[in-house]
Amino acid sequence: MSCFMFPGQPFARAGQFPDDPDFRELAAMAKQRVSFDLDTFAWIGREWTESVKLQVYGVVMSLYETRRFRSTGISPSIIGEHSLGIYPALAACSSLPEEEAIELAFRVGCATAVMGESGTYAIGCVVGLTLEPLQAIAENNGVYLANLNTSRHFLLSGERKNMEAAMAEALNAGAFSAKTFACDAPLHTPLMAVVADEMRIVFNDYRYREPAVPLMNHIDQDCLTAADMAAFMLRGMQMPVYWEKTYLALKAAGGGRFYEAGVGESLKKFNRWIESEF
């Protein structure tokens, strides 16, 4: 059976935008609901951060890819989501309308961007080390494992100064690659607790419908109900993404053909890596 996979926030805009009615309709939703003009890649009115831009862009492109797959007769029997991919996944399973998924991602992005006004945070991408030594490096430097994508591909999250030290230690420990990227907030870590109250209000501000297609979560690989949605998203802000476990659970649930609905092919690459080890 077919599985749609929704990746997290892209690191950058990729290529030209599609020129068709579906994209124009989704771009109009973004312009109306969150005052972001995709054509100029600029805010209308109040300025928000580059990360918030990329979050809105990523959701719109995921929704567009979902429409494109369905226009060719491909529909999901199960859905998997990675990090901020939860927002377009909610629309794909008919739990939220598309415009509300865009708005929800924007509101979450704005609330977390405030953390960047009082702190300096970063993501660390480490390739080549296994989990145990990387956990020790994270603990040594006061940062956190945020994405466990494969047995040797991880994202860490935390304060910038600590992340730079962690990346240096990872390279010294034999990592193939250890790169640091700036971010607004340390997503998927306990540090997000400082905005938990505000996030709870945002998540509870929507009426979620029962998923028309099973939607598997990236923490403990359960399928979400409407009653689960708000609590899961709040929990997901403070806990890691377990993609390897999620992919294997999607396969065990019957997933046979996997379609990535979003910018790039990061999840496809992770899946190939995971498959090579089993």
Side-chain angles (χ1 to χ4, degrees):
M1 67 185 184
S2 297
C3 174
F4 282 12
M5 309 177 295
F6 291 88
Q9 176 189 321
F11 284 115
R13 175 179 169 178
Q16 297 297 311
F17 290 130
D19 184 16
D20 62 37
D22 279 328
F23 181 78
R24 288 193 290 273
E25 183 179 357
L26 291 164
M29 288 181 192
K31 195 170 187 177
Q32 179 183 14
R33 295 297 287 245
V34 305
S35 299
F36 182 55
D37 186 348
L38 278 158
D39 289 333
T40 61
F41 220 71
W43 298 108
I44 302 166
R46 177 171 178 175
E47 291 286 326
W48 291 99
T49 66
E50 189 70 15
S51 287
V52 182
K53 284 184 181 180
L54 291 170
Q55 287 166 24
V56 174
Y57 160 65
V59 171
V60 168
M61 293 308 298
S62 285
L63 296 173
Y64 173 75
E65 290 296 316
T66 301
R67 287 191 180 196
R68 190 175 65 84
F69 288 138
R70 284 180 162 145
S71 73
T72 62
I74 302 170
S75 295
S77 298
I78 193 168
I79 291 172
E81 51 78 28
H82 182 291
S83 185
L84 300 179
I86 183 62
Y87 308 121
L90 290 174
C93 73
S94 301
S95 187
L96 282 182
E98 290 172 319
E99 58 269 26
E100 289 188 8
I102 294 169
E103 181 186 84
L104 175 56
F106 167 74
R107 291 179 65 188
V108 170
C110 294
T112 57
V114 173
M115 292 186 70
E117 297 174 3
S118 57
T120 305
Y121 301 101
I123 295 168
C125 179
V126 179
V127 181
L129 294 183
T130 55
L131 178 59
E132 186 174 346
L134 193 58
Q135 281 181 317
I137 290 169
E139 291 172 3
N140 289 345
N141 294 281
V143 297
Y144 298 87
L145 282 163
N147 290 189
L148 291 81
N149 294 320
T150 75
S151 66
R152 292 177 181 270
H153 189 290
F154 303 90
L155 294 188
L156 282 68
S157 190
E159 294 184 9
R160 176 94 192 203
K161 64 181 188 301
N162 295 344
M163 190 62 67
E164 290 172 349
M167 293 302 97
E169 187 173 342
L171 288 171
N172 287 335
F176 304 148
S177 173
K179 298 179 180 179
T180 302
F181 301 90
C183 63
D184 288 344
L187 294 174
H188 305 302
T189 77
L191 298 175
M192 296 302 298
V194 300
V195 292
D197 288 344
E198 185 173 357
M199 290 291 90
R200 185 177 293 106
I201 293 169
V202 171
F203 294 134
N204 286 333
D205 207 18
Y206 293 84
R207 182 177 180 180
Y208 305 97
R209 292 184 289 274
E210 290 298 336
V213 180
L215 171 58
M216 184 177 289
N217 80 59
H218 65 240
I219 298 175
D220 43 30
Q221 294 71 55
D222 288 336
C223 286
L224 298 168
T225 67
D228 297 329
M229 298 301 184
F232 166 71
M233 287 186 283
L234 182 62
R235 184 175 168 228
M237 301 286 287
Q238 301 174 69
M239 292 190 65
V241 176
Y242 296 96
W243 180 252
E244 183 176 63
K245 289 181 179 179
T246 302
Y247 171 64
L248 295 174
L250 289 165
K251 284 193 66 180
R257 296 178 300 279
F258 287 80
Y259 299 89
E260 185 162 358
V263 178
E265 297 188 338
S266 59
L267 298 182
K268 287 183 180 179
K269 292 175 183 177
F270 296 154
N271 294 353
R272 288 195 292 269
W273 191 323
I274 295 164
E275 289 288 348
S276 73
E277 297 183 328
F278 286 88

